[in-house]
Amino acid sequence: MDKSYLDCYTVVVKKIKKKGIDLQVHVRDNNVDQALRALKKKLQREGVFREMKLKQHFEKPSVKRAREKAEAIRRARKLARKKFQREGF
């Protein structure tokens, strides 16, 4: 396995610990590749990769507000769509 690949995960794990998120991935039968896949999936669900990508560059406060507002609108529409589907209209 590539050392830079492991260094990337070390940085991610440190950020997770700093945020207080408790993630555990069990390695079964010395199958590290399967454990890494499970870890990546959990990190994806937590939004760690997305946050790391956003932190790579400075984001102006006005741009940040606009992005967060757009995300909130998107979440609200998705919730309304699901509610509409559940009620069967």
Side-chain angles (χ1 to χ4, degrees):
M1 191 169 297
D2 190 10
K3 183 175 174 12
S4 63
Y5 193 67
L6 291 176
D7 288 342
C8 178
Y9 276 102
T10 305
V11 170
V12 170
V13 169
K14 285 179 183 176
K15 286 190 177 217
I16 290 170
K17 286 181 181 178
K18 192 174 183 181
K19 285 182 81 173
I21 301 169
D22 186 32
L23 288 178
Q24 289 184 351
V25 178
H26 298 286
V27 179
R28 296 187 200 116
D29 302 325
N30 290 330
N31 193 348
V32 178
D33 292 330
Q34 182 181 9
L36 280 175
R37 270 198 311 271
L39 176 64
K40 284 175 82 172
K41 196 177 286 187
K42 286 184 179 187
L43 293 174
Q44 183 71 33
R45 274 191 234 124
E46 290 290 330
V48 174
F49 291 128
R50 187 169 187 275
E51 184 180 330
M52 283 174 54
K53 186 177 178 184
L54 285 172
K55 298 274 183 187
Q56 284 178 349
H57 302 286
F58 178 75
E59 187 176 24
K60 287 173 43 178
S62 60
V63 174
K64 184 176 180 181
R65 275 193 304 273
R67 179 182 50 79
E68 288 175 349
K69 186 175 181 180
E71 287 174 358
I73 291 170
R74 216 173 295 118
R75 277 193 308 270
R77 284 183 181 160
K78 184 176 181 180
L79 186 66
R81 213 173 27 247
K82 285 187 173 196
K83 184 178 179 184
F84 187 73
Q85 249 182 356
R86 250 183 281 135
E87 293 176 358
F89 290 102

